[in-house]
Amino acid sequence: QKEVEQNSGPLSVPEGAIASLNCTYSDRGSQSFFWYRQYSGKSPELIMFIYSNGDKEDGRFTAQLNKASQYVSLLIRDSQPSDSATYLCAVRGDGAGNNRKLIWGLGTSLAVNP
Amino acid sequence: SAVISQKPSRDICQRGTSLTIQCQVDSQVTMMFWYRQQPGQSLTLIATANQGSEATYESGFVIDKFPISRPNLTFSTLTVSNMSPEDSSIYLCSVVASGDEQFFGPGTRLTVL
């Protein structure tokens, strides 16, 4: 059974701080890694994806991937109250058919306090 | 990214009835999926909608309960049949376009009384 695990939170950080969200996965053959943000009552929104080991930066967001340790993280710099949401980690395997579907974590709730 | 619309955005239905949800994309996509998300929960994949053939259902979901059509590369429907209150949920259409990224429609909020 392929699994993706996240701390459910809530993770609470003060405004302006760095929020660090972590995700581990069980399938060593996983190739693609995604972070989605979901506001209450809204659908998930893709904010970052990463395929290679290392860091990938986009504005205030940095995704970090370590395939050897099977974890992927999301850093949010200069956190704002508008970043308060649930962050979902999703992982896609290699190959065809069912191996291409996304495996989802349960999400981490982030609260940024003014 | 693809622009995805779903109809209806919400509905309240009586038990025993059926509801068909439509998903329309503004461009051709390679893959289309249907998810369910119950309050406070993460996403559960119902099925992969295959163009021109039967959908591929996940464990716990069957075609008689959730028939799916995908007549072309931009449109799909999900029917929730013989509804019960346990079917109350948000139903989400999701697509993979030309790249590897997956995008979601706005969702359909279903309440079954």
Side-chain angles (χ1 to χ4, degrees):
Chain A
Q1 179 79 0
K2 299 174 183 178
E3 294 181 340
V4 174
E5 295 190 354
Q6 299 180 251
N7 287 327
S8 62
L11 174 65
S12 183
V13 300
E15 184 175 355
I18 296 175
S20 178
L21 304 161
N22 299 311
C23 171
T24 59
Y25 58 95
S26 63
D27 181 11
R28 193 169 283 278
S30 300
Q31 295 294 319
S32 310
F33 306 86
F34 305 87
W35 283 100
Y36 288 79
R37 177 176 63 197
Q38 187 173 26
Y39 293 114
S40 179
K42 301 295 186 181
S43 62
E45 172 192 8
L46 179 64
I47 55 171
M48 288 289 287
F49 56 91
I50 186 167
Y51 303 135
S52 304
N53 274 331
D55 294 0
K56 179 182 178 182
E57 187 174 316
D58 184 1
R60 295 186 297 112
F61 299 100
T62 299
Q64 299 175 318
L65 175 61
N66 184 323
K67 289 186 177 181
S69 300
Q70 294 177 241
Y71 83 77
V72 56
S73 62
L74 179 70
L75 301 178
I76 306 175
R77 289 181 300 281
D78 187 24
S79 295
Q80 301 296 309
S82 59
D83 295 324
S84 299
T86 296
Y87 289 81
L88 298 165
C89 174
V91 174
R92 177 176 287 138
D94 195 3
N98 270 356
N99 286 333
R100 293 291 296 162
K101 70 180 181 182
L102 287 178
I103 308 299
W104 293 87
L106 296 180
T108 298
S109 175
L110 172 66
V112 180
N113 305 307
Chain B
S1 64
V3 176
I4 308 165
S5 60
Q6 283 185 237
K7 289 195 296 188
S9 59
R10 59 177 62 228
D11 208 341
I12 301 173
C13 301
Q14 297 297 319
R15 72 169 66 212
T17 63
S18 298
L19 176 72
T20 295
I21 302 167
Q22 297 180 3
C23 177
Q24 178 73 57
V25 193
D26 69 340
S27 58
Q28 293 184 349
V29 296
T30 56
M31 303 186 77
M32 296 182 79
F33 305 93
W34 286 99
Y35 286 84
R36 182 170 74 183
Q37 187 174 34
Q38 295 181 311
Q41 303 296 313
S42 189
L43 298 164
T44 301
L45 179 64
I46 297 172
T48 302
N50 300 310
Q51 193 263 330
S53 64
E54 191 173 291
T56 304
Y57 289 86
E58 297 299 305
S59 176
F61 297 95
V62 296
I63 188 171
D64 289 348
K65 175 67 176 178
F66 297 101
I68 289 171
S69 78
R70 187 181 172 191
N72 55 51
L73 293 176
T74 64
F75 184 79
S76 178
T77 66
L78 167 74
T79 299
V80 187
S81 303
N82 188 24
M83 289 184 285
S84 67
E86 291 71 34
D87 295 319
S88 297
S89 188
I90 298 173
Y91 291 85
L92 293 154
C93 172
S94 181
V95 306
V96 175
S98 56
D100 196 34
E101 300 88 68
Q102 188 166 325
F103 301 96
F104 285 84
T108 296
R109 184 180 295 272
L110 171 62
T111 301
V112 184
L113 303 177

